[in-house]
Amino acid sequence: MPYINKFITVARSQKAYEILINLGFKMREAQRLIDKGRLLCDGAVVSEKNAVLSGEICLIDYEMNPRGLSPIFECDEFAVFDKPSGVLSHPNGRRCEYSLNDEIWHLYGREAAVTHRLDRETSGLIVVSKNLAAQKELKAMFESRAVKKRYVALAGGEICEPFIVDAKMDLASDYDDVKMRMQICENGKAAVTEFEPMEYFADIDATLVRAVPLTGRQHQIRLHLFHVKHAIIGEPLYGLAKERIIKILDGKMSEMERINLTGASRLLLHADEIEFKFRGRKFHIKSKFDVRDEFYRLAKTKFEF
């Protein structure tokens, strides 16, 4: 597990923040760790930075477990990774066994951070800041839609012409334990996506499409394609019964059962290109992943058994 209880020291009437600063943490980092309940004294969570502590001090720390994922582009301020499907953008709790953080903290230290998110099953380009200043700038750019992103998806059925989906969306009222499931709704937030067909595969009745989100809602491309009855092959949420959704999310469905149910062993959505201007320089980065052939191969599997 990446989160472990790490023994630090035995404190004798020392303030909590001083203990962390003596270990090399900056005040801001010390405050963040205490706010997140990561500092323990004799097993009890320390909640105040000025608390005077005496006893055995432990820190719930993130133990990195890198697997050798390297960036496809980097400069002094940021790097771009081609995230594989199935990898979390960042840890989702203390039981998380691996995420992109394992790689970026190993390479660049703990100030490094992802500046936007991709769903776990979505593969493709993700931008990582190497320091706090770059992180602030890059996150602001993503939030203001100053970054242009292009995705490629393999959608069910034949799509012959480009089209635009302009359909508001928001959290489903009954999403509860089925994660962040979204819905189309009149009172939701504006969501617009441009779609363009790239290639139709008659033998699997699916179309490779390019998707350009003009807004940045969670699950936007996925929900918009489902809304127009061209759900992405491998979709684990939309269109499935709750029991099956939970089985997929909990990793309790076999690969073949998942393929037979959704059409593929993973969601066939990939963040393929990213374009932005940073500190006076233009960047246009393209994924190295062979989307066409890989998505076709994954979808074809269902028809080979």
Side-chain angles (χ1 to χ4, degrees):
M1 295 294 189
Y3 282 103
I4 60 170
N5 274 23
K6 183 184 292 184
F7 171 76
I8 298 175
T9 187
V10 174
R12 293 180 175 83
S13 298
Q14 293 171 271
K15 290 185 177 181
Y17 77 88
E18 291 176 339
I19 294 171
L20 291 172
I21 286 176
N22 288 338
L23 288 170
F25 290 99
K26 297 177 182 178
M27 176 60 84
R28 180 175 176 176
E29 295 173 314
Q31 182 69 66
R32 180 179 58 81
L33 289 169
I34 292 169
D35 288 344
K36 289 188 174 184
R38 301 278 178 82
L39 191 67
L40 308 177
C41 180
D42 287 338
V45 174
V46 177
S47 58
E48 296 290 337
K49 71 175 183 180
N50 290 314
V52 178
L53 308 179
S54 293
E56 186 177 280
I57 306 299
C58 290
L59 181 67
I60 300 174
D61 198 18
Y62 192 89
E63 185 177 58
M64 289 170 278
N65 181 30
R67 299 178 182 177
L69 185 65
S70 299
I72 64 166
F73 172 87
E74 66 176 312
C75 60
D76 290 342
E77 303 299 325
F78 67 86
V80 180
F81 286 78
D82 229 343
K83 185 186 81 66
S85 176
V87 174
L88 288 162
S89 299
H90 59 84
N92 64 349
R94 292 183 180 176
R95 295 185 179 181
C96 173
E97 295 185 358
Y98 176 74
S99 76
L100 199 56
N101 269 19
D102 290 79
E103 306 294 347
I104 66 177
W105 284 1
H106 173 70
L107 291 171
Y108 311 122
R110 299 202 178 202
E111 281 195 356
V114 296
T115 57
H116 59 111
R117 298 182 182 183
L118 288 178
D119 295 337
R120 181 175 191 161
E121 290 210 357
T122 302
S123 55
L125 302 182
I126 189 164
V127 180
V128 171
S129 60
K130 293 185 178 182
N131 55 67
L132 294 176
Q135 178 185 341
K136 185 177 180 180
E137 289 182 53
L138 288 164
K139 281 190 173 182
M141 288 167 55
F142 278 96
E143 290 169 2
S144 66
R145 309 303 300 163
V147 179
K148 188 169 186 179
K149 295 180 284 184
R150 300 178 186 89
Y151 293 74
V152 175
L154 188 62
E158 184 175 11
I159 300 172
C160 300
E161 300 291 336
F163 63 97
I164 295 175
V165 177
D166 184 349
K168 295 179 179 179
M169 55 190 290
D170 211 336
L171 278 175
S173 57
D174 60 347
Y175 75 92
D176 53 60
D177 58 346
V178 188
K179 308 299 181 184
M180 302 289 277
R181 199 177 185 192
M182 309 295 286
Q183 65 178 354
I184 302 294
C185 53
E186 290 184 3
N187 298 322
K189 297 176 181 177
V192 183
T193 313
E194 296 178 345
F195 294 98
E196 179 185 359
M198 299 170 67
E199 184 175 356
Y200 175 62
F201 301 103
D203 57 337
I204 59 173
D205 188 28
T207 304
L208 197 68
V209 297
R210 178 176 289 109
V212 179
L214 303 185
T215 51
R217 310 302 173 202
Q218 186 174 26
H219 292 183
Q220 179 174 315
I221 295 170
R222 298 167 61 179
L223 184 57
H224 275 177
L225 280 171
F226 175 74
H227 180 61
V228 297
K229 304 188 187 315
H230 288 290
I232 298 174
I233 306 298
E235 173 59 65
L237 287 178
Y238 301 104
L240 300 185
K242 183 175 179 177
E243 299 74 25
R244 287 178 166 176
I245 294 170
I246 293 173
K247 193 173 180 181
I248 291 173
L249 295 177
D250 289 346
K252 295 181 179 178
M253 182 175 288
S254 72
E255 182 174 303
M256 281 312 305
E257 187 180 357
R258 167 78 186 269
I259 290 170
N260 289 329
L261 178 65
T262 70
S265 59
R266 55 155 289 195
L267 178 72
L268 300 187
L269 177 64
H270 184 78
D272 194 52
E273 294 181 68
I274 195 162
E275 191 174 351
F276 57 90
K277 188 175 181 180
F278 180 76
R279 297 183 181 177
R281 182 181 171 188
K282 290 183 178 180
F283 295 90
H284 184 186
I285 300 163
K286 178 96 170 55
S287 170
K288 298 183 183 299
F289 182 70
D290 186 349
V291 185
R292 179 198 181 278
D293 289 353
E294 280 301 304
F295 278 11
Y296 175 78
R297 181 185 65 81
L298 288 167
K300 184 73 172 174
T301 301
K302 180 178 179 179
F303 299 85
E304 294 175 344
F305 292 91

